[in-house]
Amino acid sequence: MTDGTEDDDATARTLIAYYLHDVAANAAEDGHPALIEAPAAERTAWEQHGRLEGNTPQFVYGWAQQNAIKAGQDSMFGRGPREAWEQTKQQREVVGQWLTTHGYQTEGVTK
């Protein structure tokens, strides 16, 4: 399923960028300067240098896990298609593999 292809790399990078964008958008909604500053710095480090800092890798992986769990629950209770669950499980695997391959730890922080 995940063999380190260029497609997997692009998928992982896209999901990480989406996660960082989502966190920054939520922080901006809250409006607290400290909440806005940290995600903005993370997003800048990612966009300019392709690196993740601090606990961000674990949070990204936790986010991917939560997406898979939610899609699985939705599928189990008839609120969503099984295909969505399969897709989010694959995305979690791709993100986890990308993080591990690039030397990031994926364990230790849960959402």
Side-chain angles (χ1 to χ4, degrees):
M1 184 181 303
T2 59
D3 58 1
T5 66
E6 287 182 29
D7 286 345
D8 287 350
D9 187 67
T11 297
R13 289 178 176 279
T14 299
L15 290 168
I16 291 167
Y18 177 78
Y19 168 80
L20 293 171
H21 171 77
D22 196 41
V23 169
N26 288 337
E29 256 181 46
D30 291 341
H32 190 279
L35 294 178
I36 295 169
E37 201 171 294
E42 282 294 328
R43 192 170 171 193
T44 298
W46 173 252
E47 290 172 351
Q48 293 180 357
H49 307 289
R51 71 171 188 261
L52 300 171
E53 299 176 348
N55 287 332
T56 301
Q58 293 93 345
F59 285 119
V60 168
Y61 189 66
W63 171 77
Q65 286 177 314
Q66 287 298 107
N67 285 345
I69 290 167
K70 182 182 180 318
Q73 290 172 334
D74 287 350
S75 174
M76 190 179 349
F77 295 111
R79 295 185 304 250
R82 181 175 177 85
E83 292 79 18
W85 180 38
E86 295 296 333
Q87 181 181 9
T88 57
K89 287 192 315 183
Q90 183 176 3
Q91 290 170 346
R92 180 197 61 214
E93 289 179 26
V94 168
V95 167
Q97 182 62 41
W98 188 94
L99 290 168
T100 301
T101 299
H102 289 83
Y104 296 107
Q105 195 173 2
T106 57
E107 300 301 320
V109 176
T110 56
K111 195 168 183 183

